[in-house]
Amino acid sequence: MKIFVDTAKIEEIRQVKEWGILEGITTNPTLLSQTGKPWKEAALEILREVPDKPVSLEVIATDFEGMLKEARELAKFGDNVVVKIPFTTEGIKAVKVLTAEGIKTNVTLVFSSLQALVAGKIGATYVSPFIGRLDDIAYEGLLVLEEIVHLYEIYGIETEIIAASVRNVDHVRRCALLGVDIATIPFSIIKQMLYHPLTEIGLKRFLEDAKKANISIL
Ligand code: E4P
């Protein structure tokens, strides 16, 4: 499972990149608004920092023609731009055209396996089921995700599944066990994934024992 970072904050992106585990970025208008910078400046800064991995940028228009115009504009920002299109009837029409033009798409705001099936049929590059927001309304997001993984296997759909709206480390663990292609994870949860109290306690003890035994390697 690839690790994408669900953020528009450049400091967070740089940190995950330094750790060597950054495989892509997803943003949305909410995340871009949280940077406190003009959206275009924030988007271009991300693309400069990550020129060789997929970066999702979302359209704002909701009509077919408007989405196409915005998507074509966003695609000019870089070869690694993936245009995020919401799952609406206008959106799926737009994805079909963009796919034919060779523009990469990420169908977002997906909440059911049937929406994901349609995203696959129209040739979306990625589909983003939102698991946390389903949990929020007392519907198990991971069950929907499991259905999508199953349907994509049965029908040999090549669209990559991005588990989105990831809210905790257990979501990440269960996404990995389901065989999801990608999880897009907030920075705070990536940090939690890298920490284990037993690692910290174990290291402390090893260092104390090394001191007692006068171990000095260099
Ligand atoms: C990513 O593509 C989504 O925009 C994001 O994961 C949504 O997460 P949220 O439900 O925590 O806002």
Side-chain angles (χ1 to χ4, degrees):
M1 183 176 76
K2 287 184 205 149
I3 294 177
F4 284 15
V5 191
D6 198 23
T7 188
K9 292 187 181 148
I10 202 73
E11 312 74 38
E12 297 184 350
I13 292 167
R14 285 196 184 120
Q15 180 66 86
V16 182
K17 193 176 157 189
E18 273 177 31
W19 290 333
I21 55 173
L22 178 74
E23 296 177 285
I25 304 287
T26 54
T27 69
N28 60 37
T30 306
L31 293 171
L32 279 164
S33 74
Q34 288 165 357
T35 64
K37 298 174 189 164
W39 76 271
K40 194 169 179 181
E41 189 187 309
L44 292 175
E45 197 175 19
I46 296 169
L47 288 163
R48 276 194 302 276
E49 189 65 37
V50 186
D52 55 350
K53 308 225 167 4
V55 174
S56 284
L57 300 174
E58 188 161 341
V59 296
I60 304 300
T62 53
D63 62 298
F64 171 69
E65 288 296 344
M67 282 195 240
L68 285 183
K69 276 189 204 148
E70 288 185 1
R72 288 172 185 142
E73 187 58 31
L74 291 172
K76 285 186 206 154
F77 289 7
D79 289 344
N80 57 331
V81 168
V82 177
V83 182
K84 243 178 163 183
I85 307 272
F87 190 102
T88 58
T89 47
E90 295 293 283
I92 59 174
K93 268 166 48 186
V95 169
K96 183 123 191 169
V97 173
L98 295 168
T99 302
E101 291 179 10
I103 293 177
K104 293 186 275 297
T105 55
N106 175 357
V107 177
T108 189
L109 291 169
V110 164
F111 294 95
S112 80
S113 48
L114 292 180
Q115 287 180 314
L117 186 64
V118 171
K121 279 184 187 295
I122 55 176
T125 320
Y126 303 96
V127 64
S128 290
F130 278 35
I131 57 177
R133 291 194 197 186
L134 281 167
D135 289 356
D136 292 345
I137 56 160
Y139 195 94
E140 214 177 317
L142 283 157
L143 282 183
V144 171
L145 195 61
E146 190 174 6
E147 281 183 17
I148 297 171
V149 170
H150 185 57
L151 283 178
Y152 274 33
E153 256 169 35
I154 298 175
Y155 295 110
I157 294 172
E158 287 177 10
T159 300
E160 287 192 73
I161 303 167
I162 305 182
S165 190
V166 167
R167 297 279 168 78
N168 53 58
V169 282
D170 196 50
H171 270 162
V172 180
R173 183 183 69 88
R174 291 170 69 183
C175 286
L177 289 170
L178 283 178
V180 172
D181 301 295
I182 300 150
T184 189
I185 313 172
F187 179 70
S188 59
I189 297 172
I190 296 182
K191 272 207 304 193
Q192 284 175 43
M193 282 164 54
L194 302 183
Y195 174 77
H196 200 290
L198 291 179
T199 306
E200 192 172 82
I201 292 166
L203 180 60
K204 190 166 173 274
R205 194 175 302 158
F206 284 154
L207 292 179
E208 282 163 5
D209 291 343
K211 206 170 173 186
K212 278 185 220 151
N214 278 323
I215 296 173
S216 157
I217 296 173
L218 297 177

